[in-house]
Amino acid sequence: MARRGLGAGIDNLIPDIGLEPSKNEGKKKGEENVSRETLIPLNDIEPNRAQPRTRFDEDALQELADSIKQYGIIEPIVVQKKGSRYEIIAGERRWRAARIAGLKKVPVVIKEYSEDEIFTIALIENIQRQDLNPIEEAVAYQKLIQELKLKQDEVAEKVSKSRTAITNSMRLLKLDPRVQQMLIDEMISEGHGRALIPITDGDEQFTLAMKVFDEKLSVRETEKLIKKLQEEKNRPAEPEEEKKKDDSFIYKEIEEKLKKVLGTKVEIKRKANNTGKIEIEYYSIDELERIIEMMENV
C-alpha cells in the first residue's frame, strides 16, 4: 500500500522486509522482501519510547478518530516486534485515534530496525507531517546529532531541509525554559523566539516575551524592540565631565546670586554624587569680617 505524506526521506529509511516467509515462497528473485499489511490487536501495540513528539492535540485526535470511524485507517501503522508486543515506529497519532474510535484491530506493517533508525524514522515522519512544535523539533535534531554523531548537514539531508533551517531550529534551545514553554503553548511564534535569542539574561528575556504576548507585537516590532535595547546597552557611558556640563548653567546661576549677596567672588567646586564645596574669596581682614557678619545675620 502506498505511503501517503511521508515523503522520499522516510521511504529511503524504510526498506521493504518480508513479514511471512511462507508467503514469499515461489516469488521471483528480488520480490521476496516485499512487505505485507496485516491486522493485529490494538492492545498488543505500545508507543515508541523514542518518539520525539510529546504533545498530541486532543481536538485533532478526535477529528482523526471520527474520520477513522467513517473510513478506517487508510495508511497502516509501521511497527516492530518487541517480545510478545509491537512497538510503533511511525503512526502513533493514528494508533491513539484508533483507540478513541474504539477499534479492536488495526492494519500494520511490521519492520525491523535499529534504535537509531527507529528514532530517525519517527522524527522524519513527524517533521514531514509538521506534527512537532518548534521545541520538540529542535530537541529531536539535537538528539540526532548527539546520539547518532551526525553533523548538521547530515541531519539536514536526512530530513530534507536546509542546513540553515536546522541551525535556526536548534538555536531556539538557547531560550530560557519559560520562553520555550511559551513557544510550545503557541503564545509566541518561532520568529519571536529567534528575535529574543540575543537577550542572554533569562529573566529579562522572559519579561520581554511576556511583553510581546501581552502587547501582541509582531516579529518585526519585536526585532526593533530588541535592537533598541541592545543599542542602549552598548552605548558608551557618558563621561562625568560631560554630565557636569549638562547642568553647569544651574551652578553658574547660583554662583552669580551668591556673588551679588556677598559682594565678592564665589565658586562652586563640584564632586561626584552631587557633592562639592563653595569657595568664597576675600582680600582683607575687614572684608572677611564683613562676610562673616552678613552670614550671621541671615
Side-chain angles (χ1 to χ4, degrees):
M1 181 175 289
R3 302 182 186 91
R4 282 185 258 271
L6 298 185
I10 197 167
D11 281 337
N12 291 335
L13 283 166
I14 304 182
D16 289 322
I17 301 173
L19 298 177
E20 302 175 54
S22 60
K23 292 185 179 181
N24 290 327
E25 290 177 5
K27 295 287 184 180
K28 295 179 181 178
K29 186 176 182 181
E31 295 181 353
E32 62 273 20
N33 287 329
V34 175
S35 298
R36 296 182 185 278
E37 183 180 324
T38 187
L39 287 171
I40 62 174
L42 189 71
N43 291 335
D44 288 350
I45 302 173
E46 59 188 26
N48 177 4
R49 288 164 292 179
Q51 162 71 269
R53 186 181 183 190
T54 58
R55 293 164 62 94
F56 293 85
D57 185 280
E58 295 299 327
D59 292 336
L61 279 177
Q62 186 59 59
E63 289 178 7
L64 181 56
D66 293 340
S67 175
I68 288 173
K69 286 180 183 179
Q70 187 172 1
Y71 302 108
I73 296 181
I74 297 173
E75 182 181 333
I77 299 169
V78 182
V79 299
Q80 176 170 257
K81 198 80 166 64
K82 284 282 185 178
S84 61
R85 299 175 64 78
Y86 298 88
E87 184 179 63
I88 297 171
I89 295 172
E92 182 171 339
R93 185 168 171 269
R94 277 163 278 158
W95 173 73
R96 288 174 179 267
R99 291 175 64 186
I100 296 173
L103 269 61
K104 301 300 181 184
K105 291 187 176 183
V106 290
V108 301
V109 173
I110 305 172
K111 300 285 188 177
E112 290 184 10
Y113 299 106
S114 68
E115 293 297 324
D116 293 347
E117 288 173 325
I118 291 173
F119 177 76
T120 306
I121 291 166
L123 169 63
I124 292 172
E125 184 199 31
N126 281 295
I127 288 174
Q128 292 181 343
R129 292 180 186 275
Q130 299 182 326
D131 281 347
L132 300 180
N133 66 55
I135 299 303
E136 286 174 335
E137 187 172 340
V139 169
Y141 293 146
Q142 186 182 62
K143 192 170 182 180
L144 280 174
I145 289 171
Q146 292 178 346
E147 296 192 9
L148 305 192
K149 310 301 181 186
L150 298 177
K151 297 179 180 178
Q152 286 192 10
D153 54 350
E154 293 173 324
V155 172
E157 184 178 354
K158 281 185 177 292
V159 299
S160 302
K161 289 200 173 189
S162 68
R163 187 181 186 280
T164 301
I166 304 301
T167 301
N168 285 336
S169 175
M170 292 182 63
R171 287 177 67 226
L172 296 174
L173 298 179
K174 295 180 180 179
L175 292 170
D176 181 87
R178 292 167 293 180
V179 180
Q180 291 186 30
Q181 189 60 49
M182 291 178 71
L183 259 174
I184 293 171
D185 296 336
E186 299 182 351
M187 294 173 66
I188 59 174
S189 71
E190 190 172 345
H192 288 119
R194 284 198 294 269
L196 289 164
I197 290 172
I199 305 299
T200 54
D201 181 86
D203 290 335
E204 183 183 3
Q205 190 185 90
F206 177 63
T207 300
L208 285 169
M210 289 301 300
K211 178 181 177 68
V212 169
F213 174 71
D214 292 337
E215 299 182 13
K216 296 180 172 59
L217 300 182
S218 67
V219 173
R220 181 61 59 87
E221 289 170 334
T222 303
E223 290 172 343
K224 287 182 179 179
L225 173 63
I226 302 302
K227 183 178 180 181
K228 181 181 178 182
L229 290 173
Q230 293 292 85
E231 287 175 350
E232 289 176 357
K233 286 182 180 180
N234 295 330
R235 187 178 298 152
E238 191 176 2
E240 193 63 33
E241 289 301 318
E242 291 296 321
K243 291 182 181 178
K244 288 181 182 179
K245 288 179 183 178
D246 291 341
D247 55 3
S248 59
F249 70 94
I250 298 175
Y251 291 88
K252 287 295 181 185
E253 288 180 0
I254 296 173
E255 286 176 350
E256 288 299 319
K257 286 180 181 180
L258 289 171
K259 182 178 179 182
K260 288 179 181 179
V261 171
L262 299 176
T264 187
K265 182 179 179 181
V266 177
E267 185 176 359
I268 298 176
K269 301 284 188 179
R270 297 172 60 191
K271 296 180 181 180
N273 300 321
N274 296 318
T275 61
K277 62 182 179 178
I278 299 173
E279 290 187 357
I280 303 172
E281 292 191 10
Y282 63 92
Y283 304 98
S284 67
I285 294 296
D286 291 340
E287 187 172 21
L288 175 59
E289 289 178 349
R290 178 183 65 79
I291 294 171
I292 293 172
E293 185 178 345
M294 289 180 66
M295 289 183 175
E296 288 176 341
N297 292 329
V298 171

